[in-house]
Each structure stands twice: as C-alpha cells, then as structure tokens.
Amino acid sequence: MPQAQGPGTSPYFAMGSGRGATRARRARSAARESRARAVGHDGNVSNNPPRTRMTALQRRSQLIGVGRGLFAVRGLDGTTIEEIAACAGVSKPVIYEHFGSKEGLYTEVVDCEFHILLDSISAALAEEAKPRVLVERAALALLTYIEDRTEGFRILMRDAPPTQPEGAFSTLLSHVTARVEHILSDEFSRRGFSGEDGAMYAQMLVGMVAMTGQWWQDSRQPDKHTVAAHLVNLAWNGLTGLKKEPELRSEG
C-alpha cells in the first residue's frame, strides 16, 4: 500500500505552498506599507497621504507660502524657525538651505508681496487714460490687492525687513507717489497751476488712498468699488475746486 505523501513530499502541495507563500509575503509587505502611511512620525494615526517629494523650486514656493501665513499673524519676531519647519513638514536645515535664516525667508516674502502690489498699481497708472480714471484704477488696484492678498498686505504694514529699514510699505508708497506726481504735475500745468505743486499733492493723494486701504483691510464695508468711488469723489472734486492761493480761515 503506497504511503501517503506529506506536505514536504507532494509536488502539487509544494507548488501550491510556494504560491501561497508568495502571496503571503506580498500581503505582509502591503500591510507594512499601509501602516507606514497611516502612522506618522509621532506615532499617531493619520489619514493624510504620504508627503510628495518636491523640486527645489516647489519647496521654495511652499516655504514662502507657509512663512507668509505665520508672519502675517505673528510678525517676524513672534515666529520661530521651528514653527515654520513644522508647518511645512520639513527640517530646519531645509529652510536654511533655501533662505539662510528666518530673516532671509521674511525678506523674500516681503520682496514678493512688494513687487506684486507695486506692479499692480504701476500697471493701473501706465495705461493711457484721463487723470481721474488713472486715480480710480490705482485705488482699485490697491483695494483688490488687499482683498486678494490680505496676509501680504498685513506683512507690508508690519516689521521692516533688513533690506528696507524704512519699511516696505513706505518704500512702495514712495515709488507710487513718484508716478502720481508726474500725472498731477501735467494736470496742474494744464490748468494753470504750478507744476511743482504736483509733488506735494501727490503725497496727499497717495497718503489718503493708503490710509483708507489700511482702514478697509479690517472693515471690508462697503465693497471696494464703492470705497474707490468715494475716494475719487473726495480727491478729484477737491482738486477741481482748488484755489491757486489757498489760505487758512482759522488764522488772522
């Protein structure tokens, strides 16, 4: 009577056992990967997908975005490099590699926001149009920036970066005032006023728009188009009724 073959002697069982072992190994490997995805470095279970590997440019952009959000709320001094790294999901050396320091990141954020706003206002003033329309466009450009990039505007109004000790927003206003001065000087000359007064009135006009923008940043009422219309109403109708030799009525 032939002896029954055990698991180690049956060719069929051995083949099935090999396939089963392969499937088991694959299952164990998949389970390990699943656990690795589900459990974070702190041991807590997470539903977040694994972090995507970024290019250097993508990582730099991500760090600027994270820094913008933290700096807008806490300022430069109130934000730590550890917080930035934790929010970005990177180690501190990664930040140092891209920006050299926390201050380097802050300067990059300010520079980015500075040029976005300056380019927007400059574009509004560069198009061919009547002076009143240019003032409208410039006011709307500022209010639109505040609406779309509130964090950026808060940063421009806060701590001055090392490269701009006088303040980023003050520097920006100086650039804008120079453009407005040119527009007003031409308009003043056309109306028979001294073109040199355009510089002084440019400071007044830009300052009025800037202060209104700071107020509207938190108020947001009324809408930006209404605010711009009132700004231009005060500025332009005031300019229309200008006297060549204004005098103070409270003196003498």
Side-chain angles (χ1 to χ4, degrees), residues 104-125:
L105 173 57
Y106 185 79
T107 299
E108 188 76 18
V109 171
V110 171
D111 187 65
C112 176
E113 296 301 321
F114 177 92
H115 284 96
I116 289 174
L117 179 53
L118 181 61
D119 290 348
S120 177
I121 296 177
S122 297
L125 294 173

Side-chain angles (χ1 to χ4, degrees), residues 1-198:
M1 179 177 180
Q3 294 181 346
Q5 293 179 320
T9 58
S10 170
Y12 178 81
F13 188 88
M15 181 174 63
S17 176
R19 291 174 178 173
T22 300
R23 286 195 294 268
R25 284 194 299 272
R26 289 175 179 172
R28 288 193 296 271
S29 176
R32 285 194 298 270
E33 293 176 0
S34 177
R35 286 194 298 271
R37 288 193 298 266
V39 180
H41 295 295
D42 57 359
N44 294 323
V45 176
S46 171
N47 293 322
N48 295 329
R51 190 168 66 239
T52 303
R53 185 176 181 83
M54 297 183 182
T55 64
L57 187 61
Q58 290 172 331
R59 180 65 70 190
R60 186 178 183 85
S61 178
Q62 181 221 15
L63 292 172
I64 290 174
V66 169
R68 182 190 302 113
L70 291 172
F71 292 139
V73 175
R74 304 181 183 179
L76 173 60
D77 293 336
T79 303
T80 66
I81 199 76
E82 289 81 7
E83 290 172 326
I84 299 171
C87 289
V90 300
S91 61
K92 291 191 292 183
V94 174
I95 300 174
Y96 294 133
E97 177 184 350
H98 283 277
F99 304 101
S101 64
K102 180 184 71 173
E103 289 73 18
L105 173 57
Y106 185 79
T107 299
E108 188 76 18
V109 171
V110 171
D111 187 65
C112 176
E113 296 301 321
F114 177 92
H115 284 96
I116 289 174
L117 179 53
L118 181 61
D119 290 348
S120 177
I121 296 177
S122 297
L125 294 173
E127 299 180 19
E128 290 293 332
K130 294 182 178 180
R132 172 169 179 155
V133 175
L134 292 177
V135 173
E136 290 178 359
R137 291 174 178 172
L140 268 177
L142 173 62
L143 295 174
T144 298
Y145 171 83
I146 295 172
E147 183 178 62
D148 295 343
R149 303 185 69 86
T150 302
E151 291 180 342
F153 187 69
R154 291 189 187 280
I155 290 173
L156 291 178
M157 299 301 301
R158 296 188 68 144
D159 316 295
T163 56
Q164 296 176 325
E166 70 279 13
F169 196 60
S170 296
T171 302
L172 183 142
L173 292 182
S174 297
H175 285 279
V176 174
T177 300
R179 301 294 301 272
V180 174
E181 177 185 342
H182 175 71
I183 296 171
L184 290 185
S185 295
D186 290 345
E187 183 67 11
F188 275 31
S189 298
R190 188 182 68 80
R191 295 189 179 196
F193 290 81
S194 171
E196 295 179 356
D197 288 342

Side-chain angles (χ1 to χ4, degrees), residues 132 135 184 187-188 191 193 201 204-205 208 229-244 246:
R132 172 169 179 155
V135 173
L184 290 185
E187 183 67 11
F188 275 31
R191 295 189 179 196
F193 290 81
Y201 280 93
M204 298 175 185
L205 181 58
M208 181 177 69
H230 281 286
L231 271 170
V232 177
N233 180 45
L234 174 59
W236 204 254
N237 288 333
L239 290 172
T240 302
L242 283 180
K243 295 181 179 181
K244 290 185 179 181

Side-chain angles (χ1 to χ4, degrees), residues 215-233:
W215 162 79
W216 190 75
Q217 171 189 358
D218 296 317
S219 174
R220 299 301 173 98
Q221 291 294 329
D223 64 86
K224 64 182 180 183
H225 295 281
T226 302
V227 173
H230 281 286
L231 271 170
V232 177
N233 180 45

